[in-house]
Amino acid sequence: MNEPGAPAAAQSQDAAKSQNPAQRQDPAKSQGAVETSDAVNVTSLSNGVRVVSDRMPGLASAALGVWVGAGARHERAEQNGVAHFLEHMAFKGTSRRSAQDIAEEIEDVGGELNAYTSRDTTAYYARVLADDADCALDILADILRDPLFDPDDVDLERGVILQEIGQCLDTPDDIVFDWAQEAAFPDQPMGRAILGPPENVSGFDAAALSGFMAERYGPDQLVVGAAGAVDHDALVRFAEARFGDLSPVASAAPSPARYAGGERREIKDLEQAHMILGLPAPGLDDDDVFAAQVHATVLGGGMSSRLFQEAREKRGLCYSIFAQSSHYAETGLLTIYGGCGGSSVAALMEVCATELLAVRDAPGQAELDRAKAQLRAGVLMALESPSSRAERAARNLLSYGRVRPLEEVLDNLAAVSLDDLRAYADRALTGAKPTVTLYGPVADAPAYPLFCERFAP
């Protein structure tokens, strides 16, 4: 499991390279104070770029990347999809390297290069052996500081992205999540698909890509992060040399997201009915964010969860069912997904409603303890991966302005009580319209107003 504050990212697979190293400068002349928490070191350059490292003794490899606080929620309506398009184009070449050069250079050292775009973040990252960290960092800097945006490459990648959108539309258990996000947050950036609509993607050109980068890739939105066999001072020197000359960007804050709820129902002749039920969840700084994670785990976090046991094991209504809670700066979303036969969708929705009410009315101590143990183990197991640790540190800086100590996270999780769980479950159901997304043979699903009555006071 990701810690609260690391919502699932829509990833796309790509590759890239860098420009001639700038003249080295003494970072002490431009950096601010250094924070240290366990093995985590954070340095802020004078222009706002933050550098974070998490050294892991005994490892032979390093995970390195640049995380940018810009994603789908930072786009205007006419820009929707440009953040993801920009991520793709980073791997299409620079003035120094072609796309093939980028791929060959990273793979010549046995490394991996990738990227993803989420609603609030775009990340470009690599995994290499420790001796090849300079190579990976040079590539990452090059693709961010000197992307070519050749018109022929833009047209070529446009076709790739349109195929990606088509693949998503042909994958029901993918598209229902986009529809649920749109129904939960209608007519606002938080509800728009990360890939964007085909009509937008068809119109993006080099100016649109470079314009978004100029608007949103300011130094205060960049985090250079690394974990594993890394040297913090060397990382700071790299960041100063390659990003220390960036000038501040006056970026408008994204519009606050407002949960609304609602329904989208599309009947189609498919083998399975795909259902998502959604409810509002707290934002990152809300005191209830840990209770929300426990709540989702109790509902559908594993084979012992209420929904898995009742819907699959006891009643055989579905093959797949789970719940998850995603959190952003000011809001979040609890989603329950289930896939079942068309004749079972009404019964599956009833089970979900019944269990949501049961967790509010009578949660059990054993299931609370089990959920907290699952979440704790997930946090600790993730720390064994340098990629996860680099991601955690960078996203913490973007979300909270600091890297939260592990003890703080685990203590907050351990502190969730039965009363906290019950109160949060009540809060999630009080006064909010559910989000309901149905796709496939769903004609027998209950009408939306009738389903909403299950949660009326």
Side-chain angles (χ1 to χ4, degrees):
M1 137 185 173
N2 288 325
E3 287 181 33
Q11 295 196 6
S12 65
Q13 198 167 357
D14 296 297
K17 271 199 181 177
S18 123
Q19 66 195 77
N20 289 320
Q23 185 176 356
R24 297 290 184 184
Q25 301 178 30
D26 182 359
K29 295 179 180 178
S30 61
Q31 69 192 48
V34 176
E35 306 170 31
T36 303
S37 174
D38 298 324
V40 177
N41 290 277
V42 179
T43 299
S44 295
L45 304 186
S46 61
N47 65 347
V49 173
R50 286 164 289 182
V51 183
V52 60
S53 69
D54 188 349
R55 183 164 180 80
M56 302 170 67
L59 264 65
S61 65
L64 314 108
V66 180
W67 282 260
V68 187
R73 73 167 308 181
H74 299 91
E75 301 165 339
R76 297 186 296 276
E78 69 274 12
Q79 293 178 312
N80 184 207
V82 75
H84 174 256
F85 204 130
L86 180 60
E87 169 226 314
H88 271 244
M89 287 305 302
F91 299 104
K92 298 305 291 184
T94 71
S95 62
R96 290 179 55 210
R97 296 173 168 98
S98 68
Q100 184 171 346
D101 290 336
I102 290 166
E104 290 179 352
E105 188 167 342
I106 195 69
E107 293 182 1
D108 280 348
V109 297
E112 300 172 354
L113 192 65
N114 212 331
Y116 70 77
T117 308
S118 71
R119 302 193 185 278
D120 53 9
T121 308
T122 306
Y124 307 84
Y125 56 95
R127 180 81 184 272
V128 292
L129 295 176
D131 290 344
D132 301 311
D134 287 347
C135 169
L137 290 170
D138 188 53
I139 292 173
L140 290 167
D142 199 25
I143 65 178
L144 284 165
R145 296 303 308 273
D146 192 28
L148 203 55
F149 297 150
D150 179 88
D152 290 339
D153 288 336
V154 172
D155 288 340
L156 185 68
E157 203 62 23
R158 185 193 327 281
V160 172
I161 296 171
L162 289 172
Q163 291 178 52
E164 186 179 358
I165 293 172
Q167 179 176 307
C168 182
L169 291 172
D170 285 343
T171 309
D173 53 351
D174 280 350
I175 195 63
V176 287
F177 279 92
D178 278 348
W179 290 350
Q181 193 81 16
E182 183 179 4
F185 303 101
D187 303 316
Q188 49 190 302
M190 187 63 78
R192 298 181 192 135
I194 292 169
L195 301 184
E199 56 269 25
N200 278 11
V201 173
S202 297
F204 291 145
D205 57 13
L209 298 170
S210 59
F212 185 79
M213 179 173 273
E215 289 177 33
R216 293 293 176 182
Y217 277 49
D220 59 332
Q221 294 302 314
L222 296 186
V223 174
V224 178
V230 296
D231 178 86
H232 185 74
D233 291 340
L235 194 65
V236 171
R237 289 193 295 270
F238 157 78
E240 180 63 49
R242 305 308 297 273
F243 299 106
D245 63 331
L246 283 173
S247 299
V249 171
S251 300
S255 57
R258 306 169 310 280
Y259 176 89
E263 182 193 40
R264 177 161 181 175
R265 179 187 306 228
E266 297 216 6
I267 298 174
K268 188 172 183 179
D269 185 16
L270 300 174
E271 286 295 321
Q272 273 209 318
H274 299 268
M275 170 214 74
I276 286 183
L277 305 181
L279 288 168
L284 292 174
D285 289 327
D286 194 300
D287 290 341
D288 277 346
V289 71
F290 288 92
Q293 291 282 330
V294 173
H295 178 248
T297 305
V298 167
L299 279 169
M303 293 174 62
S304 64
S305 68
R306 285 172 170 258
L307 290 174
F308 192 94
Q309 284 295 310
E310 186 64 28
R312 175 170 166 162
E313 296 297 279
K314 295 180 182 178
R315 303 184 60 175
L317 294 174
C318 60
Y319 171 74
S320 178
I321 188 163
F322 60 86
Q324 61 187 21
S325 192
S326 299
H327 308 278
Y328 309 99
E330 72 283 55
T331 189
L333 185 65
L334 167 70
T335 51
I336 298 171
Y337 168 81
C340 63
S343 61
S344 300
V345 66
L348 184 60
M349 291 176 68
E350 175 59 26
V351 168
C352 292
T354 298
E355 295 305 329
L356 280 164
L357 292 166
V359 173
R360 179 193 68 182
D361 297 335
Q365 185 66 49
E367 63 183 343
L368 171 68
D369 293 342
R370 187 182 306 117
K372 292 198 293 184
Q374 287 177 261
L375 294 170
R376 181 178 184 275
V379 169
L380 293 174
M381 289 178 184
L383 295 178
E384 296 180 357
S385 160
S387 297
S388 294
R389 288 175 79 138
E391 171 91 6
R392 174 186 186 269
R395 291 187 66 93
N396 266 232
L397 283 174
L398 288 172
S399 297
Y400 303 102
R402 66 188 181 96
V403 180
R404 297 180 304 171
L406 177 62
E407 294 76 12
E408 177 185 326
V409 174
L410 296 179
D411 287 350
N412 279 315
L413 179 60
V416 177
S417 67
L418 271 181
D419 286 342
D420 294 331
L421 175 58
R422 187 180 298 112
Y424 174 73
D426 182 63
R427 168 186 170 179
L429 291 171
T430 300
K433 288 169 51 179
T435 295
V436 178
T437 305
L438 298 163
Y439 185 40
V442 295
D444 292 339
Y448 180 70
L450 184 62
F451 182 75
C452 290
E453 287 180 5
R454 291 288 281 111
F455 307 108

